[in-house]
Amino acid sequence: MQIVHTLTDLRAALAGRGKPAFVPTMGNLHDGHLALVELARPRGDLTVASIFVNRLQFLPHEDFDSYPRTLERDCERLRAAGCDLVFAPSERDLYPEPQTFKVQPDPALADILEGQFRPGFFTGVATVVLKLFAAVFGTTGGGVAAFGKKDYQQQLIIRRLVEQFMLPVEILVGETQRAEDGLALSSRNAYLSEAERAEAVQLSLALRALARDALAAAEGLPTQAAALEQRAMQALAARGWQVDYLTVRRRIDLQPPRPGDGSGALVVLGAARLGRTRLIDNLEI
Ligand code: PAF
């Protein structure tokens, strides 16, 4: 497995090797990332992962500085997973000058949920993903790229980015990988204390309960959703969580359910803070 840091070296390493299957990451890899490598690998001629902690998608008070940077260990895991090439640029490599042109995703999709609580987050994500796609696919005539379903809103936005800019990239979406107790795997789980780790599964349990309530409401869901969400948020808050949202939405556009939206069309999503760790999760109904 080859590790490159600059665009020039990346392009040289890609030359003549066919269509890449690409997994963009911010490093500190867990089994969820490796499952994406497994998903993408058979869909390309060579498997490429990127490791880059993207300052543009962090708010000033967020964990950009403390985000774990574990390049050596990440590369070992990627090598073992059958990855062929790692692109690990420095900030200067990826942003050689201040990024004055940015991608502004549709506010109807990007300013709600995560975007409401992390303003500018999806502009940062969409901008770096477009740059990474240009780096990886710019000279290869396209390929596939894999993203995790745990970041539900992110994968929707990236799919729209690809459609709207007519990028020659097929987006693959991998299922959320979970620990034995059901906690969604996330790099940020590393921040949890032992007691918080034991409590953390309650977010996915709260989503399951909300999904059950949503299904039980059936035709009445559009009018009852807000009250069900309120009850779910209060229950989690009573356990000591700071809840940003627990909500039932349409899978297609993340808007509230409308009459006729039943199972197969809906997803419950949640974000809440346990101590200093903010966790997100979702469950398709
Ligand atoms: O999901 C992530 O790890 C990041 O948001 C991504 C897509 C690598 C962009 O920095």
Side-chain angles (χ1 to χ4, degrees):
M1 187 182 78
Q2 201 177 346
I3 303 168
V4 295
H5 302 284
T6 65
L7 183 61
T8 311
D9 288 349
L10 174 68
R11 295 252 162 102
L14 289 169
R17 295 179 71 182
K19 302 253 185 210
F22 178 42
V23 181
T25 81
M26 296 207 301
N28 193 25
L29 303 184
H30 50 69
D31 288 351
H33 296 108
L34 301 180
L36 293 180
V37 171
E38 215 165 284
L39 175 72
R41 202 154 61 103
R43 302 293 303 276
D45 298 311
L46 84 164
T47 311
V48 183
S50 65
I51 298 177
F52 181 70
V53 185
N54 176 39
R55 187 188 292 273
L56 221 56
Q57 69 190 73
F58 288 78
L59 288 170
H61 66 272
E62 291 184 336
D63 54 344
F64 173 77
D65 289 328
S66 58
Y67 200 87
R69 282 136 172 109
T70 52
L71 183 62
E72 215 170 298
R73 188 179 143 272
D74 291 342
C75 287
E76 276 166 28
R77 300 203 73 184
L78 287 169
R79 183 178 289 116
C83 185
D84 300 299
L85 176 62
V86 173
F87 178 43
S90 69
E91 281 197 283
R92 277 190 71 165
D93 291 319
L94 207 58
Y95 295 108
E97 52 182 69
Q99 187 70 28
T100 51
F101 283 53
K102 294 184 186 148
V103 178
Q104 196 193 343
D106 181 355
L109 192 55
D111 290 0
I112 58 172
L113 306 174
E114 284 306 282
Q116 181 188 337
F117 290 92
R118 305 180 71 190
F121 171 64
F122 288 117
T123 292
V125 169
T127 301
V128 79
V129 168
L130 185 61
K131 285 175 78 92
L132 290 168
F133 281 2
V136 172
F137 299 115
T139 53
T140 60
V144 304
F147 294 85
K149 207 180 263 183
K150 186 176 87 67
D151 297 299
Y152 204 88
Q153 194 173 2
Q154 170 173 282
Q155 56 85 24
L156 269 183
I157 287 170
I158 289 165
R159 282 203 270 183
R160 294 291 292 140
L161 170 84
V162 164
E163 282 165 20
Q164 292 233 322
F165 288 103
M166 295 178 276
L167 305 176
V169 183
E170 185 188 341
I171 301 298
L172 310 175
V173 178
E175 290 301 324
T176 301
Q177 303 295 308
R178 296 182 182 277
E180 248 172 51
D181 66 350
L183 173 67
L185 297 190
S186 161
S187 300
R188 290 190 168 98
N189 292 352
Y191 299 153
L192 297 167
S193 69
E194 210 175 306
E196 287 167 347
R197 173 61 192 83
E199 172 66 19
V201 68
Q202 294 298 330
L203 177 59
S204 71
L205 294 179
L207 289 173
R208 265 198 241 172
L210 180 57
R212 265 196 312 270
D213 291 347
L215 280 181
E219 292 301 301
L221 183 61
T223 49
Q224 290 172 33
L228 298 176
E229 291 169 1
Q230 205 54 37
R231 197 170 69 189
M233 288 195 283
Q234 275 164 4
L236 200 55
R239 301 184 64 92
W241 292 68
Q242 265 177 278
V243 185
D244 285 347
Y245 59 85
L246 288 178
T247 186
V248 192
R249 296 293 168 113
R250 295 151 53 93
R251 289 187 199 180
I252 190 170
D253 56 8
L254 298 184
Q255 293 302 307
R258 298 190 191 146
D261 289 335
S263 86
L266 300 171
V267 56
V268 289
L269 307 107
R273 202 175 295 274
L274 193 52
R276 69 183 183 109
T277 310
R278 187 172 182 277
L279 300 176
I280 64 170
D281 198 356
N282 66 78
L283 200 62
E284 286 179 330
I285 311 180

